[in-house]
Structures are given as C-alpha cells and as structure tokens.
Amino acid sequence: MNATAIDTFEFESPEQEKIFHGLTKELRCPKCQNQNISDSNAELAKDLRNKTYELVKEGKTHDQVIDYMVARFGNFVRYDPPITPATIFLWLGPLLFIVFGFLVLYRQAKHKSSKDDELDSDEEARLKDILKQEIK
C-alpha cells in the first residue's frame, strides 16, 4: 500500500502540489535506502514528507527544500547526488575497477601467450626426437 494514499495534504496552488510531489519522488528515505519518501511507509519517511509539506507551504522553492534536506541528511538523501570531490570516487570507482580488471586480464593473457610460444629444453629435445622418428 502506498503511504501517500494515507497522507492527505492540501495546497494553496497546483504549483505547490507539483513541487511537493516532485520532491517526494526525488528524496530518498534514509532508513529504507532504496525507496523515495513518497513510496516508503517508514516513520522517518512520513516525517520527511510532513517536513517537505511544511517547507513547500512556507513558500520554499524546490532547491531550498533540497538544500534543507541535504544539510540535515547529507547528499545520500538525494537519489541523484551531485559530483563533488567527496563523491568523485563513488562515481568513477566502478569504472576504474573495470578498466583495471581488463588491464590485468590483458597482461595475463599476453604473458601466457608469450610463454606458450616458448619451449623449455626438455620439450625441445623431445620434439626433436619425435621429428627424427617421423623422418625415418
């Protein structure tokens, strides 16, 4: 059951309602971690919906409400956090990990293929014996 079906909010204008619904879809529930505050049934999400409603009713803009929530919960409260020096590794880390993995695999494959082309002295002697037997 969707939590917003239980909550009833009245707005002074359709614009306020639009801002509110947009914000509740954009803000992540810190407790649920993978739900926005609109879809979460957690008490914290309910509190955040109520606070969002209060701020919108006070005439705060979308960005002001986001700033308020980020100041209290950090960028984690946003589903799409901005790239900052603190989050750059989180954004680029998976890509760097994949590139590093491919480089390791490439080096191992290259090293193995060069080893496969070379025969050690025992293998070379055995090959010469086999070739001599074939010629006879």
Side-chain angles (χ1 to χ4, degrees), residues 2-51:
N2 192 339
T4 54
I6 298 170
D7 297 334
T8 56
F9 297 105
E10 293 183 22
F11 299 95
E12 295 172 8
S13 70
E15 184 179 323
Q16 278 187 344
E17 185 173 2
K18 181 180 177 184
I19 291 171
F20 173 79
H21 288 297
L23 286 165
T24 59
K25 297 286 185 194
E26 185 178 335
L27 295 170
R28 181 192 323 252
C29 174
K31 182 177 179 183
C32 305
Q33 297 184 6
N34 203 19
Q35 283 185 310
N36 58 37
I37 62 173
S38 176
D39 295 335
S40 175
N41 291 326
E43 283 297 314
L44 180 56
K46 182 180 179 185
D47 291 344
L48 290 174
R49 281 191 302 271
N50 289 334
K51 188 61 180 178

Side-chain angles (χ1 to χ4, degrees), residues 96-111:
L96 293 175
F97 183 74
I98 290 170
V99 169
F100 179 74
F102 278 123
L103 286 174
V104 168
L105 288 174
Y106 175 76
R107 286 187 55 150
Q108 285 182 341
K110 187 176 178 181
H111 182 68

Side-chain angles (χ1 to χ4, degrees), residues 57-69:
K57 287 288 281 185
E58 290 174 9
K60 303 289 185 197
T61 65
H62 175 273
D63 291 338
Q64 289 172 325
V65 175
I66 293 289
D67 291 344
Y68 176 89
M69 295 297 183

